[in-house]
Amino acid sequence: MNVWNDFAKPVVVLGGICVLTGALLAATHGVTQPIIDANAIATANAARAELLPEADTFTENTSVAVDGVTEIYVADNGSGVVITAEAGGYGGPVPVMVAFNAEGNISAVKFLDNSETPGLGQKVKEEAFSSQFTGKPASELTLGTDITAIAGVTISSRAATNAVNYAIEAYGILNGAEQSVELTEEEVLAAVLPEGGALTPVETDAAGVKAAYQAENGGTVIHVEGKGYSEKPMTAIVGFDADGVITGVWTNGMNEGEPVREALTGFDFGAGAVGSTDLSGVDGVAGATVSSELMKQTIQMALDAYQAVKGA
């Protein structure tokens, strides 16, 4: 047996081939990637110039951070702003470029390539839909009121409108509007039990309870976690007065799809339960029956745990 020819030599040869191949791929990437990046930049610049032709050149602005907004470019001659944003649709992100003129109105909208269903969700790219945004002032738009949804394509239409609204929000902040700030957990706890006073954590093994607190005024706050449509967590924080009446409900459905996650996040979804001891007054989100029901089940976990936590 020849150890070199039978074992060592093939390993050395194969190793050398791998090293050479890796070096060639790295060299090719080093040459082609700058070209690809330059082409992408040129394409984006051309799209911005198409939407805001009165602009001369653009400068990127990175001072404003809004969920869903990926790029903000300001025309150097003061003629306007072009903002790129995206929102989650049926098949993935629905991106859009929105041009705002110097008067603060939407001068043009261009929906970019997306993964929505061909012949359905892809229709948001057609002028019949996108032209509805042109001329609108830079204030939040409502689907069904300001914008007409494409027949049979509600989810994609809502995602498209949400994306434009993200751009509108960023434009407003760029021009001095106050940027919304997420509440801290302490602020949420205080909001669901107004005048509750100091909160003292209590131990409980009640199902789904992440944290529980007894309040100085005799009330209770319970933080629960359930599972949403995608099996990812959705949470609720519920306040109760000393008699078990619901004083506030905050929900977090940020893991749900974009068309419904905003409606399931904050104080609005569970507002119908305030002043009662059940969820009969809580309405679902239109077009999101499953997610709404799962959020109700999550809130119900807090209601079910109340007695156990109260007696802890």
Side-chain angles (χ1 to χ4, degrees), residues 1 42 63 115 143 196 287:
M1 178 185 296
S63 65
S115 301
L143 188 69

Side-chain angles (χ1 to χ4, degrees), residues 5-27:
N5 288 329
D6 293 343
F7 296 101
K9 184 177 180 180
V11 172
V12 172
V13 170
L14 287 174
I17 292 173
C18 290
V19 170
L20 179 61
T21 302
L24 290 173
L25 288 173

Side-chain angles (χ1 to χ4, degrees), residues 165-180:
N165 278 332
Y166 292 154
I168 289 172
E169 181 183 355
Y171 178 81
I173 295 169
L174 194 64
N175 286 274
E178 184 177 350
Q179 186 161 6
S180 59

Side-chain angles (χ1 to χ4, degrees), residues 58-224:
F58 292 91
T59 298
E60 185 174 15
N61 182 295
T62 58
S63 65
V64 174
V66 172
D67 285 344
V69 172
T70 57
E71 291 180 335
I72 300 174
Y73 278 84
V74 180
D76 294 325
N77 64 359
S79 60
V81 181
V82 178
I83 299 176
T84 304
E86 63 182 30
Y90 184 81
V94 176
V96 63
M97 273 189 175
V98 184
F100 300 88
N101 59 28
E103 288 72 42
N105 297 320
I106 297 175
S107 59
V109 165
K110 181 176 183 177
F111 289 97
L112 309 177
D113 291 339
N114 59 64
S115 301
E116 299 301 274
T117 306
L120 293 174
Q122 291 287 343
K123 288 185 177 180
V124 299
K125 296 169 61 179
E126 297 177 1
E127 185 179 359
F129 178 75
S130 63
S131 62
Q132 295 183 82
F133 297 90
T134 303
K136 293 285 195 301
S139 57
E140 185 176 1
L141 301 172
T142 302
L143 188 69
T145 301
D146 304 303
I147 303 298
T148 301
I150 302 168
V153 194
T154 304
I155 293 178
S156 297
S157 298
R158 188 177 302 280
T161 305
N162 286 342
V164 174
N165 278 332
Y166 292 154
I168 289 172
E169 181 183 355
Y171 178 81
I173 295 169
L174 194 64
N175 286 274
E178 184 177 350
Q179 186 161 6
S180 59
V181 179
E182 290 187 6
L183 296 177
T184 64
E185 183 175 359
E186 290 74 17
E187 290 171 329
V188 172
L189 293 173
V192 298
L193 187 62
E195 302 179 1
L199 297 178
T200 302
V202 296
E203 295 292 333
T204 178
D205 57 359
V209 176
K210 298 282 291 181
Y213 307 86
Q214 296 289 4
E216 189 176 2
N217 72 347
T220 305
V221 179
I222 303 176
H223 180 179
V224 293

